[in-house]
Amino acid sequence: MTTNVTRVALAGFGAWGQMHAKALSAIADAEIVALYCHGENSARAAADKLPDVPRYTDYDAMLSAGGFDVVDITVPNHVHSRFATAALDAGANVFLEKPLGLTLDQCDEIIAASARSGGLVAVNHELRVSRQWGAMRDIVASGDLGKVRYQHLSLFRHKFRQGSGGWRYDPEKVGSWILEELVHFFDLVMWYAAENGKPARVRAIGNGGESGLVRNFATTLEWEDGSMALLSQCLSGFEHHTLLEVAGEAGAARTWWSGAMDRTEHPDFLLKVQRRDGEPEEVAIPQSGEVFELEENLRRAFAGFREGRSIFSPVEARLAVEICLAAEAAFRSGGTVEIPASSAQ
């Protein structure tokens, strides 16, 4: 094995962990050298798909065994902070599934562990490297839309998968269904409006769901300059459909993605932009979808680690969690939640 190969310990081998393993197998300079399996089903799947990779049912035992450069964490949300902190303290860099944590305290634990250990963390907000969703940021950054004033992002999809042991339907483990998927879209609209600063306040309404988890949810982010973003999530639908509209003072853009499921390799998608006073034009996109973006994000994260940097640090990822928690609080209270201009980290 050459020194430029990234040795990966994969923590979690459920459905999404297996997607990580598939993506890792496509990266020539990465190798899975250890597996943590937290249940019998995932252990059987690992034995079948990766029979030559050492398997552990005790996460701490895997960390103690060493022999890896990066821990790739795909376990349920409620243990993200504990697993990431332990991996950092064991001397590894960390590629961590979103959300960073279920609370800001959990987020701050990871940030502190990274600072004291010198280990790097890259959080998997894979839409940032998308040929489609990333192209929207490029359009905004070009100045062709002018100052962003309005955004509308909607998600219409089938209900969430249960996850191992039903963790996605347990508020103590998933946190909320806002943190489970909308965290991606909060990050995107703040990215597109980065020049407007941090949002100032959030309002929200919702209905449906079980165990305190809200199935249909709509929220408004407002900036001090009057710009706004509307986000909605419907988990009572079918298939997987996402729409984004962005309007600035000089132009507008619209994009959508549609597939039989979120992990499809054959979706339909389109991006159109009206640059200033021009006619709307279609922007070519070679491919789009989380199965492609996961591989690209892993590839970029490992390259960043080798260069001593993170492509998406826990400090950056913390903001999306903060806004999710504010939106949840606004829904629960039925009022407006003010977002601090800055927060301690």
Side-chain angles (χ1 to χ4, degrees), residues 233-244:
Q233 174 174 270
C234 174
L235 305 178
S236 306
F238 54 86
E239 302 171 344
H240 198 280
H241 309 278
T242 309
L243 166 70
L244 170 68

Side-chain angles (χ1 to χ4, degrees), residues 101-109 318-319 321-322 325 343:
L102 299 189
T103 66
L104 293 183
D105 284 345
Q106 288 184 4
C107 295
D108 292 339
E109 288 171 2
R318 184 186 190 276
L319 177 58
V321 174
E322 180 183 359
L325 296 175
S343 52

Side-chain angles (χ1 to χ4, degrees), residues 123-200:
V123 183
N124 189 30
H125 279 269
E126 76 276 358
L127 296 181
R128 289 230 181 181
V129 304
S130 166
R131 303 286 185 89
Q132 179 177 5
W133 306 104
M136 183 66 82
R137 175 59 197 170
D138 293 340
I139 290 168
V140 170
S142 74
D144 288 342
L145 305 187
K147 183 181 178 65
V148 171
R149 301 291 290 168
Y150 169 86
Q151 298 184 71
H152 170 225
L153 202 160
S154 69
L155 172 66
F156 177 91
R157 59 162 291 166
H158 61 80
K159 64 182 180 180
F160 285 134
R161 302 170 183 85
Q162 290 283 331
S164 177
W167 69 266
R168 281 195 186 88
Y169 287 73
D170 182 346
E172 296 296 319
K173 295 180 178 178
V174 72
S176 73
W177 285 342
I178 302 166
L179 278 169
E180 178 59 12
E181 187 151 14
L182 268 181
V183 66
H184 280 303
F185 302 123
F186 277 120
D187 175 64
L188 285 183
V189 298
M190 291 188 293
W191 188 35
Y192 300 147
E195 289 76 13
N196 299 4
K198 187 177 180 180

Side-chain angles (χ1 to χ4, degrees), residues 12-15 18 35-48 55 164:
F13 206 70
Q18 291 171 44
L35 281 170
Y36 163 71
C37 302
H38 62 275
E40 293 181 1
N41 290 338
S42 61
R44 283 195 294 268
D48 177 57
R55 295 183 300 279
S164 177

Side-chain angles (χ1 to χ4, degrees), residues 19-50:
M19 292 297 296
H20 275 244
K22 181 179 179 181
L24 288 164
S25 70
I27 301 174
D29 55 358
E31 180 182 3
I32 301 174
V33 298
L35 281 170
Y36 163 71
C37 302
H38 62 275
E40 293 181 1
N41 290 338
S42 61
R44 283 195 294 268
D48 177 57
K49 296 177 183 295
L50 296 171

Side-chain angles (χ1 to χ4, degrees), residues 2-343:
T2 59
T3 57
N4 63 346
V5 171
T6 298
R7 300 168 300 168
V8 182
L10 179 56
F13 206 70
W16 192 233
Q18 291 171 44
M19 292 297 296
H20 275 244
K22 181 179 179 181
L24 288 164
S25 70
I27 301 174
D29 55 358
E31 180 182 3
I32 301 174
V33 298
L35 281 170
Y36 163 71
C37 302
H38 62 275
E40 293 181 1
N41 290 338
S42 61
R44 283 195 294 268
D48 177 57
K49 296 177 183 295
L50 296 171
D52 298 328
V53 178
R55 295 183 300 279
Y56 298 84
T57 57
D58 184 304
Y59 181 64
D60 292 330
M62 183 184 76
L63 295 182
S64 296
F68 48 82
D69 307 300
V70 175
V71 179
D72 180 3
I73 298 173
T74 70
V75 293
N77 297 351
H78 69 297
V79 288
H80 282 188
S81 176
R82 179 169 68 82
F83 273 49
T85 298
L88 289 163
D89 287 339
N93 294 320
V94 170
F95 186 84
L96 177 63
E97 269 301 330
K98 57 74 199 164
L100 180 63
L102 299 189
T103 66
L104 293 183
D105 284 345
Q106 288 184 4
C107 295
D108 292 339
E109 288 171 2
I110 297 175
I111 293 169
S114 177
R116 70 171 175 262
S117 68
L120 296 169
V121 179
V123 183
N124 189 30
H125 279 269
E126 76 276 358
L127 296 181
R128 289 230 181 181
V129 304
S130 166
R131 303 286 185 89
Q132 179 177 5
W133 306 104
M136 183 66 82
R137 175 59 197 170
D138 293 340
I139 290 168
V140 170
S142 74
D144 288 342
L145 305 187
K147 183 181 178 65
V148 171
R149 301 291 290 168
Y150 169 86
Q151 298 184 71
H152 170 225
L153 202 160
S154 69
L155 172 66
F156 177 91
R157 59 162 291 166
H158 61 80
K159 64 182 180 180
F160 285 134
R161 302 170 183 85
Q162 290 283 331
S164 177
W167 69 266
R168 281 195 186 88
Y169 287 73
D170 182 346
E172 296 296 319
K173 295 180 178 178
V174 72
S176 73
W177 285 342
I178 302 166
L179 278 169
E180 178 59 12
E181 187 151 14
L182 268 181
V183 66
H184 280 303
F185 302 123
F186 277 120
D187 175 64
L188 285 183
V189 298
M190 291 188 293
W191 188 35
Y192 300 147
E195 289 76 13
N196 299 4
K198 187 177 180 180
R201 62 192 60 88
V202 59
R203 312 172 198 268
I205 57 173
N207 60 50
E210 54 246 44
S211 303
L213 298 167
V214 60
R215 186 174 296 278
N216 307 306
F217 185 79
T219 185
T220 305
L221 287 181
E222 302 170 18
W223 279 257
E224 288 291 5
D225 65 2
S227 54
M228 59 186 290
L230 312 175
L231 297 93
S232 65
Q233 174 174 270
C234 174
L235 305 178
S236 306
F238 54 86
E239 302 171 344
H240 198 280
H241 309 278
T242 309
L243 166 70
L244 170 68
E245 298 163 328
V246 179
E249 293 178 342
R254 185 177 192 271
T255 190
W256 56 264
W257 189 98
S258 185
M261 58 185 297
D262 46 352
R263 297 171 189 173
T264 184
E265 296 183 8
H266 304 286
D268 296 313
F269 47 84
L270 183 71
L271 171 58
K272 297 185 75 173
V273 58
Q274 182 181 40
R275 305 176 192 273
R276 299 193 175 272
D277 296 325
E279 291 296 317
E281 61 185 81
E282 185 173 334
V283 177
I285 304 168
Q287 65 184 19
S288 181
E290 64 180 25
V291 293
F292 310 112
E293 294 146 9
L294 172 62
E295 179 185 328
E296 179 63 17
N297 220 26
L298 282 161
R299 195 185 306 275
R300 292 191 190 188
F302 296 164
F305 290 158
R306 288 192 290 270
E307 297 168 4
R309 60 181 177 85
S310 170
I311 60 166
F312 195 71
S313 73
V315 173
E316 296 171 288
R318 184 186 190 276
L319 177 58
V321 174
E322 180 183 359
I323 302 303
C324 283
L325 296 175
E328 175 87 8
F331 165 65
R332 299 298 174 194
S333 69
T336 300
V337 171
E338 299 290 330
I339 301 169
S342 60
S343 52

